Every structure is written in C-alpha cells, then in structure tokens.
Amino acid sequence: MPFLFEKKEHKKDAHEYIEITGYEGAVSDLVVPAQIEGLPVEAIGNHSFSGRQDLKSVALPETIKTLYGFAFHNCRNLKKISLFDSIDDYYDGVCRQCDSLSEIDITINRSWFEVIRNFLADNDRTLHFTVRFRQEEDFREKENSQKTSCEGSASYVISSLTFPEYVYDFNENTMARTIQFSIAGSGMFYRECVDRRSINYREYDKLFEKAKIDGGSISEDIAVGRLIFPVELDERYRQMYEEYAAGCGFSILKRYIESAKENPEAINTIKELLKYSREKDLFSNDTIDKAISYSVELELTQVTAVLMESGNKPVADNSAIMRFDF
C-alpha cells in the first residue's frame, strides 16, 4: 500500500478511522480508497500532499469528512479534484497556490454545498464546477429540459458552472497617505451565489453582464455550461446566453476543437453544442463550415467527423433526456 496513513480514534464516538498522511513514490492521478485495513478513510492530513509536482488529478471517496490545512497546497500541476459533499471540515489553504487547478467535480448527496464555498474561498482563479446532485421532485417535473445521470438507483441533475477569477488591487494615495483597496474581475460577485444549502442560479445568471466585461473564454464557458446543462435556467437568461454564444460561435468551437487534441471530453462538449445548435439554430452554417476547416487543418479526424456529421440538420425528437453514465 503506497499510501502513508495513521489510525485515529474519533473524539465524539470513539470509532476508528484512517487519516491519510502522504503517498510513497510518484503518482499522477491519485485515487484515495474508501477503506484501508478495514477502516474508513475519513481525513486527509495536514500538508499530506503539499508541494507535490507530480499530481495532476485527485479523486476522493465519499467517506472523506475532513480536509486538513494545506493538504494539497502548492501542487502546481494539479488540474482536477473529484469529491463528494461529505466534507464537514475544510481547513485553511487546502488548494492554495495550486496554479493549474481549474476543474472541481462534486457529487451532492445530502444537499450540502459548503465544500463548493470553501474551494471558491480558497482559490481566486477561475474554477469550473461540474455539480451532480440528487434529483428533487421539482426537477422531475422539468425532465424535458434537464440533463441527468443515473448512478445505481439514484438520479442526478448535472450543473456546469464557471466561476471567474478576481484580483485584489491596491493603490497608494500619496497625498492622503492612504492605501485604496479594490477588487478587479467579476469572480468575487459570482462566489456570493453559493451558500451552504443551495446555489442561487438566478443571481448567477444576472451576473453575466459583469462576466462579459471580463470577456474571452470565461464568459464563453459560462454561456456554454448554462445552455447545455440548464438547471433552473429562466427563459430570458436562456435567450441572453444564446445570443452571446451565437455571436462568438466560431471562437467557442475553435477553443473546444483545440482542447480535443489533449482532452477527449471536449469532443462530447462539441457534440452537445452541435445538438443544441440544431435544436435552437444557434450556430450558422458558415460558423460550422469554418470549424470544419479548422479541425481539418489540425488533422483532428474524429472531431472533423463529428462536425461534418452533425451540421445544422433538424433533430427529429428533442424531448428525450440525455443520460450520462459516470
């Protein structure tokens, strides 16, 4: 067992559990087990993986309840963390100075969104969240407009949310002998849309006007995520995102085409975008033709085939729910 660990006794009920303290040897994609020696793995200890440059992804089991301080601090090549809403205690600096961290994949089984708040508070860079949470009754009534996944017997709603970055700006006023403080970027406002028990999608969508000022890939990702996974998406905001996506259609497709060279998941996003485009007439034929030409130029045969096959043909049945298996 390459994991370094300690056996602990819980202070409240005296049950035994495992706290991970490190890992022997090199590892790129770290998958933490749910049990070691028959005991549940419930904690990642202080500085357990701090400073490791080999880590690119981390997957934590649902048994994890505590992430101690600086557990993954300064892992500069860490790009993705997958975990559950089982986290009760998130200590300071868990993912601080993880400069490459951009993707958080979280499954919500107990309507507890605090861990999302914690990641957002711990990192001022742009973060993309894929959120899977148990499908409530009100979502079941909207099945024709939601994308869901099935894990075992449970049904999950999927939400894709991009939270922009922000920076603190300090300016010295020498005449008044004061330091003036401001926050640049829309990220701080977006972070206020998450509380312990919910995500305020209405406020999230209202902030898009601020995100568009930041511009570029961030606003494109926000629009794409909300259109493909339209959880609680009001019709007026749907139209807003559609207008924006249509206006920068080639830019969006171009980025995902480039991403597909190293990230196969980008092909699925392209498929979903083209499916949406056929249903809603989102991208013009000229936009898709340009995307095909660009994909051919990059010699991406699979992506080119997807683009050529999809086109802007009408979809016979757009009421079916997309099912995703994870």
Side-chain angles (χ1 to χ4, degrees), residues 55-211:
L55 281 183
K56 293 184 179 180
S57 71
V58 172
L60 302 178
E62 195 170 6
T63 55
I64 296 291
K65 300 180 184 300
T66 302
L67 296 176
Y68 282 106
F70 304 95
F72 300 100
H73 168 258
N74 198 33
C75 292
R76 296 189 179 274
N77 294 310
L78 178 60
K79 296 180 180 179
K80 181 177 181 179
I81 297 178
S82 302
L83 73 167
F84 294 78
D85 65 341
S86 56
I87 308 298
D88 290 322
D89 295 300
Y90 183 110
Y91 285 75
D92 187 48
V94 167
C95 62
R96 195 164 300 165
Q97 294 184 346
C98 293
D99 295 340
S100 299
L101 183 63
S102 61
E103 299 179 51
I104 309 292
D105 191 310
I106 180 168
T107 299
I108 304 293
N109 282 330
R110 54 177 189 152
S111 299
W112 188 244
F113 294 83
E114 178 71 7
V115 67
I116 297 179
R117 282 166 47 93
N118 290 328
F119 273 108
L120 290 172
D122 211 17
N123 195 308
D124 57 9
R125 296 176 178 271
T126 298
L127 292 177
H128 307 278
F129 282 82
T130 298
V131 186
R132 300 177 180 86
F133 50 96
R134 287 186 183 275
Q135 193 171 6
E136 305 293 345
E137 290 302 320
D138 58 335
F139 285 116
R140 294 182 188 279
E141 297 174 1
K142 306 175 186 177
E143 284 188 338
N144 63 339
S145 63
Q146 308 294 332
K147 292 192 171 53
T148 65
S149 69
C150 293
E151 299 185 15
S153 59
S155 183
Y156 290 81
V157 172
I158 302 174
S159 181
S160 177
L161 301 172
T162 297
F163 290 83
E165 65 183 2
Y166 67 95
V167 294
Y168 292 105
D169 191 18
F170 298 90
N171 296 304
E172 183 178 1
N173 187 329
T174 55
M175 295 296 292
R177 297 183 179 180
T178 61
I179 301 294
Q180 296 176 337
F181 165 77
S182 63
I183 298 176
S186 60
M188 181 62 76
F189 300 102
Y190 270 92
R191 281 157 171 76
E192 295 175 355
C193 296
V194 184
D195 60 31
R196 291 184 173 184
R197 286 296 181 183
S198 66
I199 297 172
N200 190 330
Y201 287 98
R202 186 66 59 88
E203 289 300 316
Y204 181 94
D205 294 330
K206 284 172 62 177
L207 287 169
F208 190 61
E209 293 300 324
K210 293 183 180 293

